[in-house]
Amino acid sequence: MIMKKIFLITTIASTIFAVGCSNNNEVGQEDFHIQENKNTISFVGGIDNNQTATRTSITHTIGNGAIAYWSSGDKIWVKDNSGVFHQSSAGVLNTTKAKGLFNMPNGMYSNGCQVNYVGGSSDGTKVTIAANQSQTVANDFSHAGVSGDCGTAIATGSGSSFVFTLQHKAAYLCLMPRSTNAAFMACKLTGIKIISNNAIAGVYDFSSGNLSTAPISSTSNTISLTTNNFSIPNIETQSFASYVVIAPGVHTLTIQYQLLDPNIGQAGTVTKYVSSTFVAGNIYDIKSNFDTNTIGREYYLWDAKYDTWFGHTADQPYKNDTYDTNGINNYPVSSSDIRWYNPTTSMSARAQNSSKDCPTTNEITWYAKFGDPHWDANELWAWNGMGTVQKGGMWIKKKAYISGFTASIGATGVDYNSNPVLQASFSTPAIQGRPSSSDINKYFFLPAEGRYRFFRDGKTGIMKDVGVTGTYFPSTNTPVVPSAPDGTYALHFTKDFLALSNGGTKKDAIMNWKAQ
């Protein structure tokens, strides 16, 4: 008897916007026997007969294959000489899960009879790939059978003694998130939602021994996996893996990792994208690095040489409406401070220091008017080495996808770089939700990073509006009112709009950005 094995594994490595794939290889085969005179089928693979009834489980090792086991209560279906499928009794399995005996109470069988394993289905010709799956222990794929694992074989033999090899016909995902950011590592994985451009779950016809190309009922383009607060490791490891059964096929998948920071109650998602041909019988390793959702912690006054909390990083506040307890001693308040904004008064002068790579005011107008803003209320992000996870931000169309985009003139026909229009501002309503997976590469993401206000609520250097608004400086010196040189235009957004704002001040501390 041959142990049923899953051989080589396919690996898919994924980031926020890019995916790489390697070769696809066979998941596994299993050997069975219909024993002479007793109409029984003997399986290699199984479990102690006294255990709780479940369905097949899979033990997976990255790079070294995997082994599929049978569980107590498993049954198979065999097609008799009249073309009717009959269900076996529950398998009698040994304690090593390596062998089992399945009795066929009805039917006559000949060489070439078809054997189906259909998980928990009550019909030997149908398989249900569950739209809602559950995993209670990390790196445990014991839910494979109840989630939709299935297989088929053609038996060879004569009389009542047959041998056959079962081949798996679903596809499988092994999801492995990680992050070196302490904010993400403090979170727990509560679930994973997989959204496809086509069907990946439902009731499939399995009469031929292959899943039908589309479900025959209960069609779903989404699979939700409930997890039991799994940890996020800081290294690439299988120890915290989550598993999903999906229908094979060519799929573009949006994978939303659902996280909860139990310390502050913050919940949100980290989203990744995978496009591939998912072959029946293959298991795919999907590695997701959450560090791509990490941003710097440096906030600057306009074109300052040093960030606002330079020399005082231990006192930098990171929660809304909090400020340094040392007050104005740690926030720059005068031009004698090395962290003060660039004092140039030359109209249209370009930034020379921290803001020199930011878009010009003209470029900001193109984003504000034609950037097709999409507000993302759920995507999590975190500062590098500071605080906890935050969420909220705007997806804005990249300049390559904005017709007529130019730095030489504003989107309204005015050259804002050299001739600011007094009190001119405009906004574009935001669409709620991120762009589609097919268009996401046309957009870039700006977090709603809030800002440190020079003076607000009676405090200097108070953190305001994290997760609520985003404000970003231009690289050009374009004060709204020339007589007030510390005022400036800026890119500004809330959940409702994206705007060219004329209400900025160079004394506020804001993050820098680059045109994309």
Side-chain angles (χ1 to χ4, degrees), residues 365-383:
T365 68
W366 289 94
Y367 289 125
K369 193 170 182 64
F370 299 111
D372 190 31
H374 286 63
W375 172 258
D376 191 334
N378 293 314
E379 189 72 1
L380 292 170
W381 52 271
W383 293 290

Side-chain angles (χ1 to χ4, degrees), residues 225-243:
L225 176 71
T226 300
T227 55
N228 189 23
N229 293 326
F230 297 166
S231 297
I232 308 299
N234 64 351
I235 58 173
E236 189 174 283
T237 175
Q238 185 185 342
S239 300
F240 299 94
S242 301
Y243 294 92

Side-chain angles (χ1 to χ4, degrees), residues 107-127:
M108 298 295 293
Y109 308 99
S110 299
N111 185 59
C113 59
Q114 181 178 336
V115 178
N116 283 355
Y117 170 71
V118 293
S121 175
S122 59
D123 186 331
T125 65
K126 293 182 176 62
V127 169

Side-chain angles (χ1 to χ4, degrees), residues 6 30 46 72 124 133 138 171 206 225 246 250 254 263 265 270 294 367 409 414 431 446 489 499 501:
I6 301 176
E30 303 160 22
S72 177
Q133 303 179 22
F206 199 59
L225 176 71
I246 68 169
V250 180
T254 300
N263 298 315
V270 173
T294 295
Y367 289 125
I409 196 75
V414 174
I431 298 171
L446 288 179
Y489 283 106
S501 171

Side-chain angles (χ1 to χ4, degrees), residues 86-150:
H86 295 283
Q87 187 179 40
S88 73
S89 59
V92 179
L93 312 172
N94 69 356
T95 55
T96 65
K97 305 180 183 180
K99 297 180 181 180
L101 183 66
F102 292 76
N103 294 313
M104 296 303 301
N106 300 304
M108 298 295 293
Y109 308 99
S110 299
N111 185 59
C113 59
Q114 181 178 336
V115 178
N116 283 355
Y117 170 71
V118 293
S121 175
S122 59
D123 186 331
T125 65
K126 293 182 176 62
V127 169
T128 299
I129 295 180
N132 293 290
Q133 303 179 22
S134 181
Q135 182 177 332
T136 57
V137 179
N139 198 33
D140 179 2
F141 203 5
S142 60
H143 66 90
V146 294
S147 298
D149 187 22
C150 56

